[in-house]
Amino acid sequence: MVVAYESRSRHTAEAANRIADAFETYRAQVGMVPLGSLAPERLVATDLLVIGTWVEGLVLAAVGPAKAAMAAIERLPRLAGMPVGIFCTNFNPGGTLKTLQSVIEARDGQVIETAAFGRWRPVTPRSFAAGCSWSFRSVGPAR
């Protein structure tokens, strides 16, 4: 599996690292890569993709996924039913997760888990990984 992330101030990179560590407790082989550096050929050899981004915009309005994350996702090849977990880091993600889900689904990815991590959010990288793992077992790898 691959955990790809767009991080501006290291918060998203730290969350991605904690997610990767949590997946390793399930004995998964995890690769981490900045989202903008994710090579399409790397996706051929993976059966689960996790994408994370920071939230760009005003504090309470006009928030969404980082523009760099959206551009990187647009450059990805068709995901052909690949299971994808998505997360963002912000105390007020607004419609970020819905926007990411729409873009992933437009690329034929199957979103299996979503999470927003922030100071006041009870979701942890460990519970996110558990949810992805459970959902992945339910849907299986892309065919």
Side-chain angles (χ1 to χ4, degrees):
M1 71 164 295
V2 173
V3 177
Y5 60 91
E6 173 63 34
S7 188
R8 181 179 70 171
S9 62
R10 292 194 338 234
H11 294 295
T12 309
E14 289 170 8
N17 193 40
R18 290 176 57 202
I19 289 167
D21 289 347
F23 271 108
E24 287 173 352
T25 66
Y26 294 104
R27 299 192 177 163
Q29 291 183 336
V30 182
M32 283 186 53
V33 63
L35 185 55
S37 300
L38 180 59
E41 55 273 7
R42 187 149 187 197
L43 293 176
V44 173
T46 193
D47 51 5
L48 174 62
L49 175 62
V50 173
I51 294 177
T53 182
W54 58 283
V55 175
E56 190 168 348
L58 304 173
V59 174
L60 297 175
V63 297
K67 290 178 184 77
M70 294 297 286
I73 292 168
E74 292 291 334
R75 289 191 302 270
L76 293 177
R78 295 312 236 184
L79 297 172
M82 178 179 291
V84 181
I86 55 176
F87 74 94
C88 65
T89 53
N90 192 293
F91 72 94
N92 177 31
T96 299
L97 293 172
K98 285 183 182 183
T99 300
L100 284 173
Q101 183 165 350
S102 294
V103 173
I104 294 298
E105 289 173 348
R107 304 210 66 72
D108 297 325
Q110 182 177 2
V111 175
I112 60 170
E113 192 75 17
T114 66
F117 302 113
R119 273 182 225 143
W120 299 285
R121 299 203 172 269
V123 177
T124 65
R126 185 174 215 69
S127 64
F128 174 74
C132 284
S133 180
W134 182 87
S135 296
F136 177 72
R137 285 194 301 272
S138 298
V139 300
R143 299 188 199 305

